[in-house]
Amino acid sequence: MIRVVFNQKGGVGKSSISTNLAAISASKGKRTLVVDMDPQCNTSHYLLGELVNDTVGDIKDFFEQTLSFQVRPKEITDFIHPTVYENLDLLPSSPELGDLHAKLEAKHKIYKLRDALLNLDQYDAIYIDTPPAFNFYTLSALCTADSCLIPFDCDEFSRQALYSLMYNVQETQQDHNDKLTIEGIVVNQYQPRANASKTIVDMLKEDNLPVLNAMISSSVKMKESHNESMPLIYFAPKHKLTLEYLALYDELHG
């Protein structure tokens, strides 16, 4: 199963959701890969910490080699790195990823990621983190994935933007990847005692949007987890926030 975590809005928890779900997957014994396609590299830093600066080979290098003739092009596995967590690997991002965007788009390299990942049979689960934009990289991820998870912050601007996002995913499904499904909307930074949050979630449900039951609340524990470069399942396995992520994982897996 290949999942892409996507929202055109920044700061909605894409990196946190993709990394923590992947870490839970790995902790359950599933061979899991995280692909970081965001030039901000938050997911890469989350999983590798300072070691990310010492890695040789990343998603930028993978895409870059597709732009010229290679007698013996490297396999995507050459750009994948193990993390300190059992069963959890990472294809890290690079701040230089944005420099390749126009060249890749001009040469129609949109299916290169799909072709490479579909040849990986050693993983039980793959999670793709995306940049906060509908661009070449997010489209590449959506063309590759079986399903799409949409992180959502409980505010009116996010709600209005959600309909445009849903249209873009639907259009990608129709034009590029007919197996792609919207697996659900993940409500993040949820405040159950705030009337505004509850009202907005109710509005999404009234519009028959696929809001998942498991919601992620706001907690300083997430920032602490980021600072320690340690996903919640390892950093604070019994914390309320971790239990919410476990509930989300269980809901996605039936």
Side-chain angles (χ1 to χ4, degrees), residues 31 47-48 51 55 80-85 88-90 123:
R31 283 282 293 160
L47 283 174
L48 295 182
L51 293 176
T55 58
I80 292 173
H81 303 271
T83 70
V84 297
Y85 307 106
L88 188 57
D89 292 343
L90 172 70
Y123 292 105

Side-chain angles (χ1 to χ4, degrees), residues 34-92:
V34 180
V35 179
D36 187 2
M37 298 187 69
D38 188 347
Q40 296 177 83
C41 306
N42 291 334
T43 292
S44 300
H45 283 282
Y46 196 178
L47 283 174
L48 295 182
E50 294 301 319
L51 293 176
V52 73
N53 300 317
D54 300 325
T55 58
V56 178
D58 52 39
I59 191 73
K60 181 264 297 181
D61 298 322
F62 164 74
F63 277 119
E64 191 171 43
Q65 75 168 2
T66 70
L67 292 171
S68 60
F69 174 73
Q70 304 282 326
V71 177
R72 293 180 180 176
K74 292 183 178 180
E75 300 292 332
I76 195 167
T77 49
D78 295 319
F79 306 102
I80 292 173
H81 303 271
T83 70
V84 297
Y85 307 106
E86 188 176 4
N87 299 317
L88 188 57
D89 292 343
L90 172 70
L91 175 51

